[in-house]
Amino acid sequence: MSWGGRRIASLRRRVVEVYGTACHLCGTETADPAEVGHLHPLALSLDHLVPRSRGGTDAIDNLRPAHRRCNLSRGARPTSTARPPTPPRPVVDGSAFFG
């Protein structure tokens, strides 16, 4: 099966049902990509515990929810050796500064 949008959406739903929406790397809640955009640093992404480049699969037991930023900073390193990412900073609405 190809990596189409329906397959990714289905995997994302299943991972959230099993593991929730907290980032498994930093522990804080992820943002819904439909609301913030899939490229937002706090958007929910699927992280492979054993990276696909190292033989990991797309099985639910190898996938965990993660912030896009945390996932990208970890790269293809094993979870046990990855540097813990800094917790994401809250997104501040700029309109509050301008009254």
Side-chain angles (χ1 to χ4, degrees):
M1 185 185 282
S2 69
W3 271 94
R6 287 185 181 155
R7 181 168 185 224
I8 293 170
S10 173
L11 278 173
R12 185 179 290 126
R13 274 192 305 272
R14 289 176 40 205
V15 168
V16 167
E17 287 173 3
V18 174
Y19 299 108
T21 58
C23 175
H24 83 104
L25 295 168
C26 72
T28 61
E29 287 297 313
T30 59
D32 183 357
E35 294 177 11
V36 297
H38 71 280
L39 296 178
H40 192 281
L42 302 180
L44 172 69
S45 68
L46 298 180
D47 186 26
H48 291 79
L49 296 178
V50 177
R52 291 174 63 199
S53 64
R54 296 188 183 222
T57 67
D58 296 327
I60 294 297
D61 61 343
N62 190 45
L63 295 171
R64 296 292 187 276
H67 292 115
R68 184 172 187 273
R69 177 184 6 201
C70 295
N71 196 353
L72 292 174
S73 69
R74 183 181 145 224
R77 292 179 296 224
T79 306
S80 60
T81 61
R83 182 182 87 236
T86 57
R89 287 181 250 146
V91 178
V92 178
D93 180 12
S95 66
F97 294 110
F98 301 108

